[in-house]
């Protein structure tokens, strides 16, 4: 069973500056919930009971978000706002504990995951990158946990991207595709289009065998001078295997401005508090454009 999940949130978020100058990227809201809470809820739905946030200097607000807020709760209670009280109290899903470890310097995603090793221990674990928001039912990690029961080893979430975008992703070298599952013999971080073994790209959800820690421990730098998670996965495929799952759902790269705005529009069109007004607004925009 997969019970532990690592959420690396120590990156700088430079692509959405100035929003992230002070505010951690993972606290950016999509309608009314910050990205980090979507990821935590997705993990809880998948049966995760222990979440490790890998944070950095200036990111303590991320941990605060999951704490109780006695002053706020007292105020809401006094005013009889029970529905809001429930929302404020349930940022951390029931049955889930959230702890934090620090990444002392932004040495790369692989290094961030390695920093969680003392909490993860020697068991398979999940990794979720909260800036990859995936809206789907069931959640992407739940789909992966169900699949992992058959495949074991390393399992990553994948989707096809246009060839000209492969240099933004980890790309699988596929040996066999069966239904939604692609078995891979290799994985390359940010290849040039002419070098890419496929267009099947890794999205920010992983279930990993702890053998990756053996490689991450060596602190070898890869693409961009960073310690890459992709390299550690690729180096351990011979030992445990690697498969990619084409998940059901829509993924938004909220680490980019366009992806973040798309997530807000789509979520606003399905959220009961905003759907009607936002739909009317978009229709009015179309009329104005046509005129
Ligand atoms: P990104 O590649 O999106 O980097 O990291 P970033 O720093 O967050 O954003 P940009 O590129 O400057 O805009 C992917 C994930 O890995 C985490 C990030 O927090 C994000 O969840 N990460 C990255 C770390 O935790 N530590 C690192 O050293 C690097």
């Amino acid at each position: 069973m997969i019970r532990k999940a690592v959420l690396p949130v120590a990156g700088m978020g430079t692509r959405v500056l100035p929003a992230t100058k002070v505010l951690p990227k993972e606290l950016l809201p999509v309608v009314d919930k910050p990205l980090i809470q979507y990821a935590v809820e997705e993990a809880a739905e998948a049966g995760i009971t222990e979440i490790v946030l890998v944070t950095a200097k200036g990111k303590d607000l991320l941990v605060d978000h999951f704490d109780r807020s006695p002053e706020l709760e007292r105020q809401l209670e006094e005013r009889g706002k029970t529905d809001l009280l429930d929302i404020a109290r349930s940022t951390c899903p029931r049955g889930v504990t959230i702890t934090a470890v620090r990444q002392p310097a932004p040495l790369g995603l692989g290094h961030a995951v390695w920093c969680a090793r003392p909490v993860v221990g020697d068991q398979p674990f999940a990794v979720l990158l909260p800036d990859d928001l995936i809206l789907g039912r069931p959640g992407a990690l739940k789909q992966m946990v169900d699949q992992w029961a058959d495949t074991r080893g390393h399992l990553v979430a994948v989707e096809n991207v246009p060839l000209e975008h492969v240099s933004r992703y980890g790309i699988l070298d596929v040996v066999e595709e069966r239904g939604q599952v692609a078995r891979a013999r290799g994985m390359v971080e940010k290849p040039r289009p002419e070098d890419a073994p496929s267009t099947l790209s890794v999205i920010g959800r992983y279930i990993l065998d702890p053998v990756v820690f053996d490689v991450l421990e060596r602190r070898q730098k890869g693409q961009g001078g960073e310690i890459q998670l992709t390299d550690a996965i690729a180096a351990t495929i011979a030992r445990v295997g690697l498969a990619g799952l084409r998940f059901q759902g829509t993924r938004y790269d909220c680490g980019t401005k366009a992806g973040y705005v798309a997530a807000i529009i789509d979520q606003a069109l399905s959220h009961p508090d905003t759907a009607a007004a936002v739909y009317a607004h978009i229709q009015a925009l179309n009329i104005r454009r046509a005129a």
Side-chain angles (χ1 to χ4, degrees):
M1 298 298 276
I2 311 293
R3 292 285 174 239
K4 297 188 182 184
V6 177
L7 274 60
V9 290
M12 313 265 274
T14 53
R15 284 168 295 163
V16 278
L17 275 168
T20 48
K21 188 176 170 192
V22 175
L23 190 72
K25 173 170 68 176
E26 300 78 10
L27 277 181
L28 292 175
V30 172
V31 182
D32 53 2
K33 254 193 295 189
L35 288 168
I36 186 96
Q37 194 176 331
Y38 285 95
V40 164
E41 289 176 0
E42 185 186 322
E45 183 201 353
I48 299 293
T49 53
E50 197 170 342
I51 289 177
V52 192
L53 304 182
V54 183
T55 69
K57 192 168 183 294
K59 295 251 174 166
D60 293 342
L61 280 176
L62 284 163
V63 185
D64 294 351
H65 181 71
F66 296 100
D67 279 342
R68 295 291 288 269
S69 180
E71 177 64 12
L72 173 65
E73 289 180 21
R74 196 172 49 75
Q75 296 255 1
L76 293 172
E77 212 158 11
E78 278 171 15
R79 293 184 202 166
K81 305 212 166 183
T82 47
D83 45 346
L84 294 179
L85 186 60
D86 281 348
I87 290 172
R89 275 186 181 152
S90 57
T91 51
C92 181
R94 196 160 293 160
V96 172
T97 58
I98 298 180
T99 52
V101 298
R102 289 281 240 205
Q103 185 186 25
L107 301 181
L109 175 59
H111 180 255
V113 170
W114 184 79
C115 291
R117 183 184 186 164
V119 188
V120 170
D122 192 27
Q123 54 183 295
F125 63 102
V127 176
L128 296 93
L129 307 186
D131 54 354
D132 265 338
L133 173 65
I134 304 178
L135 299 177
R137 286 218 181 100
L141 191 65
K142 168 85 174 97
Q143 297 172 40
M144 291 177 70
V145 166
D146 291 346
Q147 182 59 48
W148 184 82
D150 287 340
T151 26
R152 302 279 160 160
H154 300 318
L155 179 68
V156 295
V158 292
E159 68 181 14
N160 273 110
V161 296
L163 185 62
E164 62 270 27
H165 292 175
V166 289
S167 55
R168 302 177 190 171
Y169 298 93
I171 301 293
L172 291 195
D173 185 356
V174 177
V175 268
E176 185 193 29
E177 297 221 35
R178 218 177 264 173
Q180 303 303 106
V181 180
R183 223 161 41 78
R185 64 181 153 212
M187 190 171 160
V188 201
E189 184 63 24
K190 300 189 171 68
R192 293 182 306 178
E194 55 273 34
D195 301 330
S198 74
T199 55
L200 208 53
S201 74
V202 178
I203 303 307
R205 302 289 182 276
Y206 310 73
I207 295 177
L208 299 177
D209 187 281
V211 293
V212 282
F213 289 128
D214 298 352
V215 179
L216 291 173
E217 201 162 65
R218 294 182 211 143
R219 290 171 151 250
Q220 265 168 9
K221 289 183 182 163
Q223 227 275 340
E226 296 194 339
I227 301 170
Q228 297 287 356
L229 185 59
T230 299
D231 295 343
I233 296 171
T236 50
I237 294 174
R239 286 164 71 183
V240 297
L242 170 65
L245 175 69
R246 293 175 195 268
F247 55 91
Q248 306 286 318
T250 309
R251 168 254 177 181
Y252 304 88
D253 181 358
C254 294
T256 68
K257 289 169 202 167
Y260 177 56
V261 172
I264 292 175
I265 294 170
D266 284 5
Q267 185 65 347
L269 286 171
S270 62
H271 192 298
D273 292 353
T274 53
V278 173
Y279 184 71
H281 177 70
I282 288 173
Q283 276 197 318
L285 283 180
N286 280 340
I287 291 162
R288 252 186 266 156
R289 275 223 184 112

